Amino acid sequence: EVRVIPTSIHDIDNGKILGFDHNLSEDHPGFKDEDYKQRRSWIAGLARDILPGDEIPRLEYRPEEVETWAKALEELEQLFPTHACKEFLDAIDKLDFRPDVVPQLQDVHQVLQETSGFAIRPVAGLLHPRDFLNGLAFKTFHSTQYMRHWSQPHYTPEPDLIHEIIGHIPMLTNKYYADMVQQIGLASLYATDKEIWHLTKVYWYTVEFGVVMEDEEIKAFGAGVLSSYGELDHMRTGNPEFAPLDPWAKQPKMSYKDGFQKKYFVLNSFEEGSELLREYSQTFLDRKQ
Ligand code: H2B
Ligand code: FE
C-alpha cells in the first residue's frame, strides 16, 4: 500500500473516528440518556463540515453543561497550585477560566495562535491515531466540542471539551511544550503503522501523562493528569514509579480503563524535552531524503 505523506493540514482527514458512535455503549455515563446522545451527536457532527481555517462555531451551552464544567473546574483548581507545573499555572492565569462560562473553541484557538501558533480543529470524537498525530506536525490540535455527561462531572471515558480545555489548551500556549508536541507529529508523518503505535505511547507518556521536575518536586503537565482530580492525587500520594523519558525505548503498555498510571515519565524541563524529541523525530525526518 502506498501512503501519501501529508504536506499541509488540508491533507488530513478529521473523519476517521475510532471512539464511541452516536449510540455510545453501556459503559458510557450517557448511554441511557437519549437527549444527551442527540446533543452529543449534533455537536460532534458540526466538526465534519469545518475546513481548516474556518471559524469554529460558537455553542450556547445548556445549564447542565455549564454546571458540569463548573464542578470539574472548581474541583481541579484545588490541586493546581500544589500539583501542576508553573507553565500550566501561568497559562491558567492568562486564560482566566470562569466557572459560569464554558470557553469557546474559537476563543482558545485565537489565544494559541497568538502564543505558540497552534490551531484548534474540531473533531467528532477519538480520531484515528495517525491522523491525530499528523495534525500535530502542522501545529493543529484536534479537539472535541461536546461535554461529558452531567451525572459524572469528574469522569469521562472519551475525550470531551473539559479534558481538552483544561488538560490540553493551557500547556499548548507554551512554546517549548508546543515544539515538543510538534516533534511527535513530525515523526508520525514518516512512521510505519507499527511506529504509529510506538508514537501513540510516547504521546501517552508525555502529552497525556507526563510530569516535570520543578525545584525537586514532581509536577504534572500531562492532560490526563491535569484534568483528573484522582490522577493528580494519585501521582503525588499513590507512590507510583517515576523514570526519565526515553522515546527510543520500548514503552510500557497503556492502561486506559484500570485505574491510574503505575509509572510516570519525568522531564527536567520543556526546553530539554523539546530537544530530546527533536533528536528523536530527526531519525524519522532523515527518511525524507
Ligand atoms: N483524538 C482526540 N479527539 N483526542 C485525543 O486526545 C486523541 C485522539 N488522542 N486520537 C490520540 C488519538 C492518542 O490516543 C494517540 C496519538 O493515538
Ligand atoms: Fe487528551
Side-chain angles (χ1 to χ4, degrees), residues 123 125-130 132-133 141-144 159 163-164 168 196-197 199-200 203-204 208 256:
V123 69
L126 192 74
L127 183 60
H128 186 286
R130 182 183 291 279
F132 183 83
L133 292 169
F141 190 86
H142 286 87
S143 169
T144 54
H163 169 75
E164 319 285 21
H168 288 290
I196 288 290
W197 186 236
L199 288 169
T200 288
Y203 175 91
W204 184 263
E208 291 295 348
Y256 287 94

Side-chain angles (χ1 to χ4, degrees), residues 24-51:
L24 306 182
S25 69
E26 266 178 89
D27 55 348
H28 192 293
F31 180 59
K32 291 192 176 137
D33 186 341
E34 285 308 322
D35 184 53
Y36 175 78
K37 286 198 219 183
Q38 250 186 40
R39 170 81 171 155
R40 179 191 168 287
S41 294
W42 179 73
I43 295 174
L46 297 174
R48 277 192 291 271
D49 304 324
I50 296 202
L51 293 174

